[in-house]
């Protein structure tokens, strides 16, 4: 005889099978929904980066720019990790205590020497080669060095000197140096009353001055960096000895020293100015300045940088008219600091005092 099937048992089995299928479908739908929500959350939570606005000379627009900073998470070996978008005001950024590790500095130097950014390391656009405004103000006999040298066909010797008219050096020479009685020493200088008048000339010409809540960082680049016995990564980590004057041992400031000084100002807008008056001195100077800029950005500051983007006169005016200034080694930078303090501003951090001989 055949086996009879109980109709109620068969119906219950079909119901259970349908229920299992429904649970599997619902679980699959829930998984898809959760995945979609996660993707949308990730997309909308990513920080936004404002477009880069180039400043300075057109050929250097990939090197010097203004950018609203967005910090991304970093590998612990490369320094502290932070997240979110910084809002800039008049107080120190929340990440101002960040300092770069040795790995961070080595990585930055590598990016610019043999990495993806090495194409940015190129000569500064030196508009006025050999122009020595700082030397002219310090010592009148140096004002001739701020004239235009007309060289022989082989480019070795100066045949004649043509004065650069309407420059600050020309103004200082005519207003002060040429008034020195015949037979008087031309190695004197530093007439700040004439320098005041020189800055007033800059006012009349409409030269740009920094805002009161901005910290100006002046960088003395060129020969003192290139001819130093210290490697650029050593300078960035520990500081270095400038090539031009042995009296200023460790006069090249490290990233850590700059960040310590900036944190003490309680301000967060940083304006870097600097350059070289020689075309051939640029490789280590570029790497040093660009890694310094990246580190200051990493610490959360709003940073702009212009290197040889304007005339030396405009650079001097910009630094001397600052309310907050960080100087570098060298007489040109020191004069900026003296003028800032003369007009009620503040020079932050380490300063360099002339000792045995002019720097």
């Amino acid at each position: 005889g055949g086996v009879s099937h109980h109709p109620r048992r068969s119906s219950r089995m079909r119901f259970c099978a349908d229920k299992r299928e429904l649970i599997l479908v619902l679980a699959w739908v829930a998984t898809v929904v959760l995945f979609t929500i996660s993707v949308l959350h990730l997309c909308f939570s990513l920080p936004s980066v404002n477009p880069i606005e180039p400043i300075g000379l057109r050929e250097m627009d990939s090197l010097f720019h203004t950018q609203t900073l967005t910090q991304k998470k970093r590998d612990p070996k490369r320094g502290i990790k932070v997240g979110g978008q910084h809002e800039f005001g008049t107080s120190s950024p929340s990440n101002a205590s960040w300092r770069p590790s040795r790995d961070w500095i080595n990585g930055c130097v590598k990016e610019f020497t043999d990495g993806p950014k090495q194409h940015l390391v190129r000569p500064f656009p030196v508009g006025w080669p050999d122009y020595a405004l700082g030397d002219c103000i310090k010592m009148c006999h140096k004002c001739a060095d701020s004239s235009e040298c007309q060289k022989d066909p082989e480019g070795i010797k100066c045949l004649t000197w043509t004065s650069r008219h309407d420059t600050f050096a020309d103004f200082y020479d005519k207003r002060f140096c040429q008034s020195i009685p015949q037979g008087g020493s031309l190695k004197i200088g530093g007439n700040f009353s004439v320098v005041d008048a020189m800055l007033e000339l800059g006012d009349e010409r409409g030269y740009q001055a920094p805002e009161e809540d901005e910290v100006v960082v002046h960088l003395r680049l060129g020969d003192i960096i290139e001819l130093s016995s210290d490697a650029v990564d050593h300078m960035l980590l520990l500081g270095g000895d400038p090539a031009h004057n042995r009296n200023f041992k460790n006069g090249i400031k490290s990233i850590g020293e700059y960040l310590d000084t900036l944190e003490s100002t309680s301000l967060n807008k940083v304006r870097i100015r600097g350059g070289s008056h020689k075309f051939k001195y640029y490789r280590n100077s570029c790497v040093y300045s660009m890694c310094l800029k990246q580190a200051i950005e990493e610490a959360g500051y709003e940073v702009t940088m212009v290197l040889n983007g304007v005339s030396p006169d405009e650079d001097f005016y910009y630094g001397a008219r600052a309310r907050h200034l960080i100087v570098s080694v060298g007489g040109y930078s020191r004069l900026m600091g003296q003028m800032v303090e003369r007009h009620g501003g503040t020079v932050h951090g380490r300063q360099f005092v002339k000792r045995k001989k002019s720097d």
Side-chain angles (χ1 to χ4, degrees):
V3 179
S4 62
H5 296 279
H6 198 287
R8 295 182 64 182
R9 181 179 299 172
S10 178
S11 175
R12 189 180 299 115
M13 292 177 63
R14 285 197 302 271
F15 174 75
C16 291
D18 293 341
K19 187 176 181 180
R20 283 195 298 270
E21 291 179 2
L22 179 61
I23 292 174
L24 291 174
V25 171
L26 290 175
W28 180 83
V29 171
T31 301
V32 172
V33 171
L34 289 174
F35 176 77
T36 303
I37 292 174
S38 298
V39 171
L40 292 174
H41 176 74
L42 178 63
C43 291
F44 286 106
S45 63
L46 286 175
S48 59
V49 180
N50 289 348
I52 292 175
E53 302 173 2
I55 64 173
L57 297 183
R58 182 176 302 172
E59 63 267 31
M60 303 297 284
D61 60 5
S62 62
L63 186 58
F64 316 124
H65 60 268
T66 305
Q67 183 178 5
T68 299
L69 306 179
T70 300
Q71 301 294 340
K72 298 180 180 179
K73 290 185 178 180
R74 296 282 182 180
D75 187 297
K77 292 183 179 180
R78 291 174 62 84
I80 194 169
K81 63 178 182 179
V82 295
Q85 177 125 4
H86 291 282
E87 295 182 0
F88 301 113
T90 56
S91 60
S92 296
S94 59
N95 200 35
S97 61
W98 178 86
R99 298 295 180 270
S101 65
R102 184 183 296 272
D103 286 345
W104 188 98
I105 289 175
N106 290 340
C108 183
V109 171
K110 185 175 178 60
E111 281 185 338
F112 289 106
T113 53
D114 59 359
K117 298 181 181 179
Q118 60 180 314
H119 65 285
L120 298 177
V121 178
R122 48 191 172 179
F124 299 127
V126 181
W128 297 1
D130 301 317
Y131 183 74
L133 175 61
D135 288 342
C136 172
I137 295 174
K138 289 187 297 179
M139 298 169 289
C140 281
H141 74 287
K142 291 285 188 178
C143 288
D145 296 339
S146 296
S147 302
E148 192 81 50
C149 171
Q150 307 298 321
K151 294 187 177 181
D152 62 12
E154 296 181 357
I156 299 175
K157 296 181 180 180
C158 289
L159 300 179
T160 60
W161 289 92
T162 302
S163 176
R164 286 191 173 102
H165 295 291
D166 297 326
T167 65
F168 279 174
D170 181 57
F171 178 90
Y172 187 85
D173 184 41
K174 291 176 179 177
R175 182 69 68 93
F176 174 65
C177 297
Q178 293 183 17
S179 67
I180 297 175
Q182 187 174 5
S185 174
L186 292 179
K187 292 188 177 182
I188 63 173
N191 188 316
F192 288 170
S193 295
V194 177
V195 179
D196 284 338
M198 192 174 71
L199 294 177
E200 291 173 3
L201 178 63
D203 294 338
E204 296 173 6
R205 292 177 175 176
Y207 288 169
Q208 182 186 8
E211 300 294 332
E212 291 193 359
D213 62 344
E214 296 175 342
V215 183
V216 177
V217 175
H218 179 253
L219 299 181
R220 170 72 159 88
L221 303 174
D223 53 353
I224 71 164
I225 301 284
E226 305 303 320
L227 303 179
S228 172
S229 59
D230 294 312
V232 67
D233 55 345
H234 184 278
M235 298 178 195
L236 291 166
L237 183 65
L238 300 172
D241 297 335
H244 74 313
N245 195 323
R246 67 182 62 184
N247 292 321
F248 295 122
K249 188 173 179 61
N250 207 41
I252 301 172
K253 298 180 180 179
S254 67
I255 289 176
E257 181 174 353
Y258 277 112
L259 291 177
D260 287 344
T261 304
L262 286 170
E263 187 175 10
S264 72
T265 68
S266 298
L267 298 170
N268 61 19
K269 296 178 182 178
V270 181
R271 307 294 178 244
I272 301 174
R273 289 289 184 104
S276 170
H277 58 290
K278 301 279 188 181
F279 286 105
K280 63 181 179 179
Y281 296 135
Y282 69 92
R283 292 187 182 277
N284 288 342
S285 296
C286 281
V287 177
Y288 175 86
S289 57
M290 288 187 287
C291 284
L292 174 62
K293 178 178 182 287
Q294 286 192 182
I296 296 175
E297 288 176 334
E298 186 79 20
Y301 294 89
E302 177 191 341
V303 188
T304 64
M305 182 168 73
V306 177
L307 305 183
N308 281 94
V310 294
S311 73
D313 287 355
E314 291 174 80
D315 266 345
F316 182 82
Y317 177 88
Y318 190 86
R321 285 293 193 221
R323 300 301 297 171
H324 303 275
L325 178 68
I326 299 175
V327 299
S328 113
V329 65
Y332 181 76
S333 192
R334 182 173 64 246
L335 282 167
M336 286 183 185
Q338 291 171 321
M339 298 311 296
V340 166
E341 292 181 330
R342 180 177 171 86
H343 293 279
T346 303
V347 178
H348 300 273
R350 185 159 55 116
Q351 301 184 53
F352 303 91
V353 180
K354 182 173 64 175
R355 295 176 182 172
K356 294 182 180 179
K357 63 179 182 178
S358 169
D359 57 339

